[in-house]
Amino acid sequence: MLFVTLGPRRYRIERPFGDIPKNHGTVSDVAVDADGHIHVGLRRDPYTDAPGPAVVVLDTQGRRLRQYGEEVLDLHMLDAAPDGLMWLVDRDAHEAIGFDAEGVAQKRLGTRHGAGQPFNSPCDIAFAADGTAY
C-alpha cells in the first residue's frame, strides 16, 4: 500500500480509483467542489481517444455521478471557484469555461479559437477567496 501524509492527516493512495471511462483520455487534473464531489479532468487525444466528456464527477466512493464538457478540446487544468462554478481550461481553444453543478457552461474567459484574444494556450486557472481569477 502507498500512503501520503499531509500535516496530521494520512491518506491511502488507491489506484485505480473510480468509475472513469476507458479510452477517453488520461487524467489531467482533479478538483473537489463544495459538495465534496471529485471532478476528474480527462485530456483526450482526438487522434487516438474516443470522443467523450472532459470531466467525470465521482462521489467519495468513486461512483460516477455525471460527466460534462464534451465541447472541451484539450482540458489542461480545472479549479472550483468560490461561486460554485467549476472552471475548465481548454488550452487548444484558448479559453476557460465555467460550468455549473449540472455541467452546463455559464461563463467564458477568452475567445474560443482566438489565439491571443487575450489568451494563447492557457494552462491553468486559480481563484482568490473573493472570486478573482488568476
Side-chain angles (χ1 to χ4, degrees):
M1 289 191 169
L2 178 63
F3 292 90
V4 173
T5 302
L6 298 171
R9 296 192 139 178
R10 186 175 181 195
Y11 300 91
R12 183 181 78 234
I13 305 299
E14 192 174 317
R15 293 184 186 146
F17 176 80
D19 180 17
I20 298 173
K22 305 293 184 235
N23 300 321
H24 286 274
T26 57
V27 175
S28 172
D29 197 13
V30 176
V32 178
D33 66 23
D35 295 325
H37 297 143
I38 304 161
H39 295 245
V40 180
L42 301 174
R43 184 177 298 163
R44 296 185 315 267
D45 181 334
Y47 298 107
T48 60
D49 296 323
V55 176
V56 175
V57 183
L58 307 174
D59 67 13
T60 58
Q61 301 305 307
R63 291 182 292 259
R64 190 182 322 176
L65 301 174
R66 62 189 172 283
Q67 55 193 37
Y68 63 94
E70 287 79 2
E71 70 185 83
V72 175
L73 299 175
D74 181 28
L75 176 69
H76 207 265
M77 303 294 271
L78 64 150
D79 196 22
D83 65 2
L85 293 182
M86 185 63 65
W87 284 82
L88 282 58
V89 178
D90 191 341
R91 184 179 62 183
D92 286 356
H94 311 290
E95 73 173 343
I97 309 168
F99 289 86
D100 65 17
E102 300 305 316
V104 177
Q106 297 295 322
K107 294 182 180 179
R108 294 176 184 270
L109 295 173
T111 302
R112 190 158 186 82
H113 304 298
Q117 300 175 32
F119 306 122
N120 188 36
S121 300
C123 292
D124 203 355
I125 191 166
F127 295 91
D130 69 359
T132 302
Y134 294 95

